[in-house]
Amino acid sequence: MQANRGRDTGPELALRSLLYAAGLRYRVNTRPLPELRRTADVVFPRERIAVFVDGCFWHGCPEHSRPAKANAGAWSAKIEGNRARDADTNALLRSAGWTVLRVWEHDDASGAARMVAQLVAAARESAAKDEAESVSGFMRA
């Protein structure tokens, strides 16, 4: 069990490498909400975007997850607990105004990186538009 990494897994590194090459800067393995004891794999704090790279076994991928042969009951409970925590994390972050993106470890890293880049660009565009509107409103007053 010690060999299972909590961060810097192969799929995470592939995604982060592509995001960095695209010119995006981010935080790694950070709590999006400091009071919430859950960390996202890639975080864009200004844009309020949290990206999670979920392992197929640990998070119960519908395509690749297979029941454990040894101690099946305990593993099933563990994976269901992880899925419930993931859903709770998504709900808490979304209610706090965050955009949550979950990527499976088997997903194409370049496709995931494009999706993240589009979300970041849209968030930045929206923020620039809001700022321009607030400045023009200030000028009229």
Side-chain angles (χ1 to χ4, degrees), residues 32-33 36-42 48-54 59 81-104:
L33 301 174
L36 187 62
R37 198 174 153 253
R38 297 171 190 171
T39 60
D41 299 312
V42 178
R48 299 176 70 85
I49 297 172
V51 181
F52 296 86
V53 181
D54 291 340
H59 297 269
N82 289 348
R83 294 179 85 182
R85 187 184 61 243
D86 292 345
D88 184 52
T89 300
N90 292 349
L92 290 169
L93 288 174
R94 287 184 177 128
S95 70
W98 283 75
T99 300
V100 178
L101 178 65
R102 289 200 173 264
V103 179
W104 289 108

Side-chain angles (χ1 to χ4, degrees), residues 5-87:
R5 297 174 154 257
R7 63 178 279 180
D8 297 337
T9 62
E12 285 177 37
L13 292 174
L15 176 64
R16 290 187 347 223
S17 175
L18 291 167
L19 293 173
Y20 192 88
L24 298 174
R25 301 301 178 257
Y26 46 82
R27 296 191 181 252
V28 176
N29 202 42
T30 304
R31 293 180 182 181
L33 301 174
E35 66 274 9
L36 187 62
R37 198 174 153 253
R38 297 171 190 171
T39 60
D41 299 312
V42 178
V43 178
F44 296 89
R46 285 190 183 135
E47 295 81 6
R48 299 176 70 85
I49 297 172
V51 181
F52 296 86
V53 181
D54 291 340
C56 290
F57 175 78
W58 299 104
H59 297 269
C61 171
E63 291 179 39
H64 299 105
S65 182
R66 301 288 180 259
K69 291 181 181 177
N71 206 2
W75 281 113
S76 177
K78 167 69 175 160
I79 292 167
E80 284 307 312
N82 289 348
R83 294 179 85 182
R85 187 184 61 243
D86 292 345

